[in-house]
């Protein structure tokens, strides 16, 4: 069973991160099955619960993949296109010929592998829920690391999402390099974005290609050695 999901689709700052997980039920034991039974939509879990589930998913998974789309890529190509591309990359990385392939909520037109979209899949499929945990934890770890570079926006607390304090910080401080300029945020409407560079909403195109983010350092900083090897080896 292969499942893919993403994290960060609705955030104002930071990358979009997709994850794929392959679960081979014939290869895992009772303890791994019990761990998977605890999975649910990662957004309904506390950060502490997700961190606890993360190594359990790694140990139960036959394969794990991670795909990142940077802020610059999202602004250049659009959120939906970036999201579908990341999900497609993850599906191709983890899906085997005999696997049932599931994706949370979206069809993947460019994916040559047969797959099924599942509405609310992270609450209905253990494989998708497992991918949701990997995506969310990995992205949150990255955002906590870069929070030290941009302390005025409290990314350690809001991990880039549109919380009231994050919007207030944008009003006070403007936006930083990891904010997505293509989002029509209420907070952004109070800023003259032209002072920060081309306005994506007016159709201006960013120069150059998409940035590449090496997220493995953020994983390595907080994960156990076995977990890092599993993610880095299969991603």
């Amino acid at each position: 069973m292969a499942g893919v999901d993403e994290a960060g689709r609705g955030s104002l700052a930071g990358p979009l991160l997709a994850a794929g997980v392959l679960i081979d039920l014939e290869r895992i034991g009772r303890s791994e099955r019990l761990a998977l039974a605890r999975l649910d939509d990662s957004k309904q879990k506390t950060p502490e619960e997700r961190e606890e589930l993360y190594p359990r998913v790694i140990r139960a998974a036959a394969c794990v993949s991670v795909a990142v789309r940077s802020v610059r890529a999202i602004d250049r190509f659009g959120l939906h296109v970036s999201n579908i591309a990341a999900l497609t990359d993850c599906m191709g990385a983890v899906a085997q010929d005999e696997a049932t392939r599931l994706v949370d909520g979206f069809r993947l037109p460019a994916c040559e592998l047969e797959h099924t979209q599942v509405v609310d899949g992270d609450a209905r499929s253990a494989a998708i829920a497992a991918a949701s945990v990997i995506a969310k934890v990995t992205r949150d770890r990255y955002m906590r690391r870069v929070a030290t570079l941009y302390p005025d926006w409290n990314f350690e607390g809001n991990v880039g999402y549109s919380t009231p304090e994050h919007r207030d910080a944008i009003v006070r401080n403007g936006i930083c390099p990891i904010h997505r300029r293509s989002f029509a945020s209420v907070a952004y409407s109070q800023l003259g974005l032209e002072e920060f560079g081309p306005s994506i909403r007016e159709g201006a195109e960013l120069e150059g290609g998409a940035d590449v983010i090496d997220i493995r350092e953020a994983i390595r900083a907080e994960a156990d050695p076995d977990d890092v090897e599993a993610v880095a080896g299969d991603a």
Side-chain angles (χ1 to χ4, degrees):
M1 184 73 68
V4 297
D5 198 7
E6 90 289 321
R9 189 160 54 97
S11 67
L12 296 179
L16 181 145
L17 193 143
V21 172
L22 177 68
I23 297 174
D24 186 346
L25 293 177
E26 295 182 357
R27 291 181 50 186
I28 62 177
R30 183 173 182 274
S31 61
E32 288 84 6
R33 289 173 181 263
L34 289 174
L36 294 176
R38 296 179 54 203
L39 290 168
D40 199 346
D41 180 357
S42 69
K43 295 184 290 296
Q44 304 303 318
K45 301 289 187 182
T46 66
E48 293 75 19
E49 288 173 330
R50 289 193 294 265
E51 287 284 352
E52 182 181 351
L53 284 168
Y54 180 90
R56 297 176 184 270
V57 169
I58 294 294
R59 283 191 285 269
C63 183
V64 172
S65 66
V66 170
V68 181
R69 291 301 183 272
S70 70
V71 169
R72 193 174 180 186
I74 293 168
D75 283 341
R76 182 177 177 85
F77 300 110
L79 176 64
H80 182 69
V81 170
S82 300
N83 184 39
I84 295 300
L87 292 170
T88 301
D89 287 348
C90 286
M91 181 66 79
V94 300
Q96 298 180 353
D97 291 340
E98 66 275 16
T100 298
R101 309 174 190 94
L102 306 176
V103 58
D104 185 29
F106 295 97
R107 289 288 299 169
L108 308 177
C111 183
E112 297 180 355
L113 301 169
E114 183 179 350
H115 61 279
T116 301
Q117 66 183 103
V118 182
V119 178
D120 295 328
D122 41 11
R124 299 172 60 189
S125 162
I128 294 178
S132 177
V133 167
I134 296 297
K136 180 65 174 167
V137 170
T138 305
R139 185 182 183 278
D140 285 358
R141 290 175 176 180
Y142 174 81
M143 292 301 293
R144 288 196 295 268
R145 290 297 300 274
V146 299
T148 60
L149 301 177
Y150 308 105
D152 293 334
W153 291 270
N154 188 28
F155 292 138
E156 184 173 351
N158 61 53
V159 293
Y161 285 93
S162 181
T163 63
E165 56 83 20
H166 187 186
R167 294 193 296 271
D168 289 343
I170 291 172
V171 172
R172 290 194 310 271
N173 305 308
I175 59 175
C176 73
I178 65 168
H179 276 98
R180 302 174 186 177
R181 302 183 186 187
S182 53
F183 274 30
S185 168
V186 173
Y188 288 9
S189 68
Q190 301 182 46
L191 302 174
L193 281 185
E194 62 276 3
E195 67 183 280
F196 297 103
S199 173
I200 305 303
R201 287 196 297 271
E202 294 176 358
E205 187 172 344
L206 292 176
E207 297 180 359
D211 292 337
V212 175
I213 297 176
D214 188 346
I215 208 161
R216 288 172 295 181
E217 181 181 353
I219 302 174
R220 187 178 300 111
E222 299 185 46
D224 294 333
D226 290 342
D227 299 339
V228 175
E229 291 172 4
V231 175
D234 290 326

